[in-house]
Amino acid sequence: MRILSALILRELKALFYSPIAYVVLGLVLALSGLNFYLIVSAFSAGPTPVTVVEAFFNTGAFWFSFFAIFPLITMRLYAEEFRLGTYELLQTAPVRDWQIVFAKFTGAYLFFLLLWLPTALYFGIYRWIAREQAAPALGNYFGTYVLLALMGALFVSVGCLASVLTKNQIIAAILSFVALAVIFNFSILGFVVPNLSPASRRVLSYFSSVEHMYEFNRGILSTRPVVYYLSGALLLQYLTYAVLQYRRWKF
Amino acid sequence: MAASPTSPVVRRAQLGLQAVGRGLAVLALVAVANMLAFKYHRRVDLTRGNVAPLTDRTKSFLLGLPKPAKLILFFAAENILFDPVHLVALQYEAASRGISVEMVNPFRDQTRAGELAQKYKIGQRENVIVVEYDGRAKVITTDDLADFDRSPETFGQSAQPTNFKGEPAITGALIELLEPERGVIYFVRGQGEAELGAKSPLGVLAMLIERENVVLKELSLSTVEAIPRDAVAVVIAGAKYDPSESEFRVLREYWERQGRLLVLLDPGAQTPQLHGWLGSLGVMVQDDRIFANLGGVTGIIADVPTEFIGDSSIAKKFRGVNPQFVGGTQSLKLEAGRVASAKIRVSPLLQAVAGFWGETDWRQAGVNGIEFNPEKHRSKDLVVAAMVEKGEPGAPENSRLIAVSSVKYILDENLTRQCADFTIAAVNWLLRREALVGIPPRDMRMFALSITSTQLSRLFVVVVILLPAVAVLIGGIVWRRRRA
């Protein structure tokens, strides 16, 4: 456990000592802030059937900033270590591959959570300024942030796998960006493809992050996305671990 | 004895095989978990404290639902009720494993929409919920899902929902569908009434009524001793002459034992007995025709726009809607006081809008000679439809009747949307469906922000400038400290 804590701390230090983390945080906050401001501006024009919280997490700007951060967070996790040769040093330490995989995932995941936590401040700030709630029930907030955490687990894992496959950070970023773009496009397939059978629509909706968000940020939580994101994250982390093991056999 | 050395190639092959085996096992585990999650899933409703939680009554009803039910949301995403309908459907799914939801966008899923439209007779521009249960189905229209403020329609804008009745409508539909047999509405034949079936002149209305989970059948009063027990209501649609005494006895007996009757009068018919019977219930059929004189080029008009009056559930539902009755409509005069002692309550439902009068000289004068005479003609309370209830107020065993002074509006060539909606609502009132559920409508989830431009500017400064700036500032400090 001590080794694991030390490894996680190492990852967090590596992330937070790098100015790029703050640039990413600043960019995400600027984009989300602008998105939030535009929604509130639009809503003040007249009554709407959706809440500020529901609208904020269902815009194109939100999904773009959400998917775009994962390559940035994860591209250097393994690729940088491979390039600088520090991974070989790490291998000489009394740590197991699964501990490295878990620590890198946890570090990146905690950073991801920290990136999105300030968005919760928006609703507090909104309440302070406008003297009204951004959503009528706690379930709206709870559902939304639970889903963000679940999606984060899977998408950070996608980035981890992309990073372990190459020594080049840029290639790692491109790989994870392409994979996430495929996942996102799969999410919206059910909305754009006409005349799908009810069965196909049900299958697509199982994988659709957009539909998951629609439900969760209205306070309806489903077990399907929980299993999908957690099991997907588990699978990808296992593949990451397997790639690391493969690197060991090669030498 | 020394251990035999293993070559690196063999060792790698062993490791590789183990890794592949483990990988396949993990993959299988993940696939099985997802397949199980897909099949056996649960939804948790955390909308408590929201404006839209499901009532405990619905939840306990759903828990006792014996067989699975399906809600098909046949809704365009642009419809103003799409969001509350979607949310309430998810809540039903969350409340019971036995409920599944299918979303059908009529514009995107045209094949499926076509199948459903044909099966459930859904109109091209209609947005409905189809509730399917055990091979039976009920179609819920937007009029059943919300009450609307129709005043914006005057200015060419769409009506705005004032509340949302998705839960009472869906739960009500499920309660109805639990009944294994669909109720029968009998259309009386034999006195010149319009026929049902393929050649029916009232095919559209018949189709719309059938969507209410009822079966329509014809009934000749001369062939029965009593109205069949499976009758949930009886319709007399435009009798041209009176039934015989024995046939009338069948009708009266039905009325006395919790009968439900929709009587659509033919103003041109000679039915003194029918009029007399309605008179005994406090509904006096007047020998007049309703006209208005708009003057100028338009002159005399015989088509009668009406308005809903009274406090009935139907009147409340359609306040602001103006069904139009085609020319030749007579009026009804209600004598509630006279029949009150017999525990009969009679109340107006539809009356001609202001400016119309009941012309009593319509036979002699012809259209050009018609003129309003305040001494001879009634110009107020020109009732076109009335509702009658007999028995203790609120008692479930009460008899119910709705009388409409003109049958012409139900014919396909005259039927308007408003008139059809009124008739469906009248049928549902007769069938007591408004009292089935007892779940109040929700407030329509409409969120209006009252934020000033100063507050908006302050919000911009804090969320777009200040928060990102703090992040960048911290980054700068970290960078400087590391350099130092």
Side-chain angles (χ1 to χ4, degrees), chain A residues 48 195 201 206 219 221 224, chain B residues 34 38 44 46 109-110 447:
Chain A
T48 66
N195 293 325
R201 201 168 285 292
Y206 183 82
L221 276 62
R224 280 176 172 171
Chain B
N34 279 276
F38 184 74
V44 183
L46 294 182
D109 311 310
Q110 290 180 357
F447 300 95

Side-chain angles (χ1 to χ4, degrees), chain A residues 145-159:
Chain A
Y145 284 96
V146 163
L147 185 68
L148 283 182
L150 288 169
M151 290 193 296
L154 177 64
F155 301 150
V156 165
S157 301
V158 171

Side-chain angles (χ1 to χ4, degrees), chain B residues 220-243:
Chain B
S220 171
L221 293 174
S222 61
T223 60
V224 291
E225 286 293 309
I227 300 291
R229 298 193 74 80
D230 60 355
V232 289
V234 170
V235 179
I236 303 171
K240 301 230 179 291
Y241 45 89
D242 277 324

Side-chain angles (χ1 to χ4, degrees), chain B residues 284-477:
Chain B
M284 309 300 292
V285 183
Q286 302 298 291
D287 184 18
D288 62 9
R289 294 293 182 270
I290 301 175
F291 291 104
N293 189 349
L294 297 186
V297 187
T298 313
I300 301 287
I301 58 164
D303 289 349
V304 186
T306 59
E307 59 191 359
F308 285 90
I309 53 168
D311 291 324
S312 66
S313 56
I314 304 175
K316 282 179 188 163
K317 180 176 180 175
F318 292 114
R319 193 85 68 202
V321 176
N322 300 106
Q324 180 144 320
F325 285 73
V326 288
T329 300
Q330 61 197 339
S331 72
L332 306 172
K333 192 176 173 189
L334 307 187
E335 296 181 351
R338 181 168 58 80
V339 294
S341 58
K343 290 185 179 170
I344 294 174
R345 289 173 301 288
V346 56
S347 51
L349 182 55
L350 274 175
Q351 70 178 22
V353 298
F356 282 79
W357 79 90
E359 175 64 57
T360 50
D361 300 329
W362 58 276
R363 282 191 190 85
Q364 298 82 10
V367 171
N368 293 329
I370 284 169
E371 199 175 354
F372 176 56
N373 180 345
E375 289 175 8
K376 283 174 68 179
H377 302 138
R378 288 193 310 133
S379 61
K380 281 185 176 173
D381 304 332
L382 293 170
V383 175
V384 173
M387 48 209 310
V388 183
E389 194 167 13
K390 186 181 180 187
E392 297 295 335
E397 64 275 10
N398 285 352
S399 301
R400 284 183 164 187
L401 178 144
I402 284 182
V404 185
S405 67
S406 176
V407 72
K408 291 181 197 169
Y409 82 92
I410 66 167
L411 302 178
D412 288 352
E413 68 260 29
N414 300 330
L415 189 70
T416 61
R417 172 70 193 270
Q418 288 89 347
C419 284
D421 290 343
F422 153 67
T423 312
I424 302 291
V427 167
N428 280 322
W429 180 79
L430 290 173
L431 270 50
R432 306 197 149 271
R433 284 180 173 172
E434 90 285 4
L436 261 180
V437 189
I439 295 167
R442 300 169 174 181
D443 289 336
M444 186 66 192
R445 262 171 48 112
M446 294 299 275
F447 300 95
L449 306 185
S450 52
I451 192 164
T452 63
S453 55
T454 316
Q455 289 172 322
L456 211 54
S457 310
R458 213 177 292 163
L459 191 73
F460 181 82
V461 170
V462 176
V463 300
V464 184
I465 299 173
L466 215 59
L467 278 178
V470 168
V472 173
L473 193 70
I474 295 170
I477 293 168

Side-chain angles (χ1 to χ4, degrees), chain A residues 3 8 10 24 44 62 75 85 93 113 131 159 178 182 240 249:
Chain A
I3 295 173
I8 293 171
R10 174 181 176 270
V24 171
S44 55
F62 160 74
M75 62 185 189
L113 293 179
R131 309 247 178 257
V178 169
V182 169
T240 307
W249 316 329

Side-chain angles (χ1 to χ4, degrees), chain A residues 14 16-19 22-23 25-27 29-37 39-41 43-52 54 118 121-122 125-126 128-133 135-140 142-143 190-196 198-199 201-203 206-207 214-215 218-224 227-229 231-232 234-235 238-239 241-242 245 249-251, chain B residues 12 15-24 26-31 33-35 37-51 70 80 82-84 86-87 90-91 93-94 101-105 107-113 444-451 454-464 467-476 478-479 482:
Chain A
F16 285 103
Y17 283 171
S18 139
Y22 298 94
V23 172
L25 183 62
L27 277 175
L29 286 178
L31 201 57
S32 313
L34 192 63
N35 181 26
F36 185 73
Y37 168 76
I39 282 167
V40 173
S41 308
F43 273 39
S44 55
T48 66
V50 292
T51 65
V52 173
E54 288 162 14
L121 280 178
Y122 295 164
I125 292 166
Y126 173 78
W128 171 58
I129 290 176
R131 309 247 178 257
E132 53 187 293
Q133 296 277 8
L138 274 177
N140 296 69
F142 181 74
F191 296 99
V192 293
V193 177
N195 293 325
L196 284 168
R201 201 168 285 292
R202 273 202 302 279
V203 171
Y206 183 82
F207 297 103
Y214 184 93
E215 292 181 27
R218 278 159 180 79
I220 309 277
L221 276 62
S222 168
T223 52
R224 280 176 172 171
V227 175
Y228 163 57
Y229 291 115
S231 64
L234 184 77
L235 177 68
Y238 177 76
L239 291 178
Y241 166 77
Q245 293 261 294
W249 316 329
K250 258 184 29 175
F251 302 110
Chain B
R12 273 184 208 167
L15 284 170
L17 274 175
Q18 282 173 9
V20 169
R22 276 200 301 265
L24 287 175
V26 173
L27 191 65
L29 209 70
V30 167
N34 279 276
M35 274 154 59
F38 184 74
K39 197 170 178 188
Y40 307 103
H41 75 291
R42 284 288 296 147
R43 279 199 164 89
V44 183
D45 185 352
L46 294 182
T47 53
R48 279 186 297 279
N50 201 333
V51 288
K70 187 175 185 183
I80 194 158
F82 175 80
D83 204 71
H86 193 178
L87 178 63
L90 290 175
Q91 288 175 311
E93 211 174 12
V101 175
E102 181 187 348
M103 308 273 301
V104 178
N105 184 323
F107 301 110
R108 190 187 56 197
D109 311 310
Q110 290 180 357
T111 310
R112 177 71 176 141
M444 186 66 192
R445 262 171 48 112
M446 294 299 275
F447 300 95
L449 306 185
S450 52
I451 192 164
T454 316
Q455 289 172 322
L456 211 54
S457 310
R458 213 177 292 163
L459 191 73
F460 181 82
V461 170
V462 176
V463 300
V464 184
L467 278 178
V470 168
V472 173
L473 193 70
I474 295 170
V478 170
W479 184 65
R482 285 199 70 194

Side-chain angles (χ1 to χ4, degrees), chain B residues 84-237:
Chain B
V85 160
H86 193 178
L87 178 63
V88 81
L90 290 175
Q91 288 175 311
Y92 272 79
E93 211 174 12
S96 167
R97 282 171 191 267
I99 301 276
S100 62
V101 175
E102 181 187 348
M103 308 273 301
V104 178
N105 184 323
F107 301 110
R108 190 187 56 197
D109 311 310
Q110 290 180 357
T111 310
R112 177 71 176 141
E115 285 170 21
L116 291 167
Q118 194 176 15
K119 186 173 178 186
Y120 295 115
K121 303 177 177 75
I122 301 168
Q124 271 191 334
R125 300 180 66 183
E126 263 194 304
N127 289 283
V128 300
I129 300 177
V130 180
V131 184
E132 288 184 340
Y133 179 81
D134 197 24
R136 301 184 290 281
K138 174 157 181 180
V139 176
I140 302 172
T141 64
T142 46
D143 280 326
D144 299 323
L145 289 170
D147 288 327
F148 289 90
D149 170 15
R150 298 182 195 268
S151 54
E153 287 179 338
T154 321
F155 308 103
Q157 295 164 346
S158 41
Q160 290 298 310
T162 54
N163 62 22
F164 180 64
K165 302 190 293 187
E167 186 185 347
I170 295 170
T171 303
L174 284 167
I175 290 172
E176 281 173 47
L177 293 170
L178 275 179
E179 292 292 324
E181 295 297 326
R182 290 199 289 171
V184 181
I185 295 182
Y186 283 100
F187 275 64
V188 171
R189 288 295 311 277
Q191 285 77 39
E193 297 92 342
E195 65 176 324
L196 293 176
K199 291 180 184 172
S200 174
L202 45 96
V204 177
L205 187 68
M207 175 268 286
L208 292 173
I209 294 175
E210 278 183 324
R211 291 199 324 191
E212 297 296 306
N213 190 38
V214 290
V215 177
L216 305 188
K217 286 182 182 173
E218 292 181 345
L219 177 71
S220 171
L221 293 174
S222 61
T223 60
V224 291
E225 286 293 309
I227 300 291
R229 298 193 74 80
D230 60 355
V232 289
V234 170
V235 179
I236 303 171

